Amino acid sequence: MSSMVDHLVAEVLALDVKLLACQARLAVSTDSEALHDLRTTVRRLRSVLRPLREKPSAAELEEAARAVGQLTTPLRDMQVLAGFLEEQGLNEAAFTRNRYLESACPKVASSPELTRLLKLIDRFPEMLRLQQRQGMLRGLRKTIEKRMDKQWHKLRVAIAEPGHDRHDLRLLIKRVRYAAEAYPQLSHQPKNMQARLKSAQGELGDWHDHLQWLAQAAEQPDLAPCVPGWQIGIVGAERKAEASLKRLAKACF
């Protein structure tokens, strides 16, 4: 158990440092990848914490991380769209969104959501050590392992269901994949499964992007030139996503 607590403390401390670096980069708008790196770090933190949700301190920190994720999702989606528009030569539409992002992204650095997250993560290692001394973390390894197995089972069942929901599957795949990255020593996945999960997540992500873009185009007239291409693209994205899911299902059983 002690080694698992040590692993958790080391992970959280490393993520704390990364979050602070992302905050500094966002505050001064030094690069366009700061927001993406912040979201990746928050995602990693949530993956580390998710199996510990019964612990009040972990639940509070995970909720704070979730709030930062919700805050930044629309901004990241806009970044991805702006990049696509630039590639298509729709410079005016891209410029409008990039100009908004230039003012919106630095505000994340001083947002109540990120401020709260940084405050809680700074205290978390000390609270873990206190809970360890009080005997509150006995069986921690088994608890995490059991919950990872439960997630893996849930994904296998969902993939096998006819007419599965791609949105739900995308979320399940992300959770299983990221949990295995956070606790590789506790993952009971078949060999090379992480690569298959990553591929399926990517294909589903492409389909999801097209779905979002078409929905936005209904309300944003400057996206009209992209609609015919997106309507064709989403059909291909659906086919690729389903093919990837079939390969994943075959590997799961």
Side-chain angles (χ1 to χ4, degrees), residues 65-92:
R66 186 178 72 86
V68 173
Q70 290 178 329
L71 173 69
T72 56
T73 291
L75 297 178
R76 179 56 184 167
D77 288 345
M78 187 178 290
Q79 273 190 338
V80 173
L81 175 57
F84 174 86
L85 293 172
E86 286 180 348
E87 291 176 357
Q88 299 301 308
L90 298 172
N91 297 324
E92 184 175 348

Side-chain angles (χ1 to χ4, degrees), residues 11 16 21 36 56 81 178 248:
E11 282 285 310
D16 191 6
H36 174 64
L81 175 57
Y178 299 155
L248 183 60

Side-chain angles (χ1 to χ4, degrees), residues 79-223:
Q79 273 190 338
V80 173
L81 175 57
F84 174 86
L85 293 172
E86 286 180 348
E87 291 176 357
Q88 299 301 308
L90 298 172
N91 297 324
E92 184 175 348
F95 176 77
T96 300
R97 288 160 179 80
N98 282 326
R99 184 172 57 183
Y100 174 82
L101 290 167
E102 285 175 4
S103 62
C105 287
K107 293 177 183 177
V108 174
S110 57
S111 66
E113 292 86 350
L114 184 55
T115 300
R116 177 170 179 257
L117 175 60
L118 290 170
K119 181 179 178 180
L120 291 174
I121 195 174
D122 188 52
R123 298 187 337 220
F124 190 68
E126 182 181 351
M127 296 181 72
L128 269 181
R129 291 301 187 191
L130 177 61
Q131 291 174 357
Q132 182 183 20
R133 290 192 295 270
Q134 293 175 341
M136 298 172 62
L137 300 180
R138 292 192 182 99
L140 181 61
R141 182 185 180 93
K142 288 184 179 179
T143 297
I144 295 172
E145 196 169 18
K146 182 178 180 180
R147 289 182 181 172
M148 288 179 66
D149 287 344
K150 185 176 181 180
Q151 280 187 336
W152 175 239
H153 175 73
K154 187 175 181 180
L155 174 59
R156 292 176 67 193
V157 170
I159 289 177
E161 288 180 354
H164 44 239
D165 188 300
R166 295 192 195 98
H167 289 289
D168 289 344
L169 276 176
R170 182 168 166 263
L171 292 176
L172 284 171
I173 288 170
K174 288 170 72 172
R175 288 175 182 173
V176 168
R177 181 183 162 217
Y178 299 155
E181 289 179 354
Y183 300 100
Q185 70 275 36
L186 303 183
S187 176
H188 296 159
Q189 297 176 8
K191 188 177 180 181
N192 298 323
M193 183 55 67
Q194 282 294 91
R196 294 186 177 95
L197 290 170
K198 183 177 181 179
S199 175
Q201 182 182 328
E203 299 294 358
L204 286 167
D206 185 39
W207 164 77
H208 184 259
D209 284 345
H210 279 80
L211 197 67
Q212 280 194 317
W213 293 344
L214 285 168
Q216 291 179 47
E219 301 177 354
Q220 301 174 30
D222 64 346
L223 298 179

Side-chain angles (χ1 to χ4, degrees), residues 15-31 33-42 105 108-109 114 118:
L15 292 169
D16 191 6
V17 171
K18 289 180 179 180
L19 284 173
L20 289 169
C22 289
Q23 182 191 36
R25 291 162 59 199
L26 280 167
V28 297
S29 296
T30 55
D31 62 78
E33 289 300 309
L35 182 67
H36 174 64
D37 291 347
L38 173 70
R39 288 176 52 78
T40 300
T41 304
V42 168
C105 287
V108 174
L114 184 55
L118 290 170

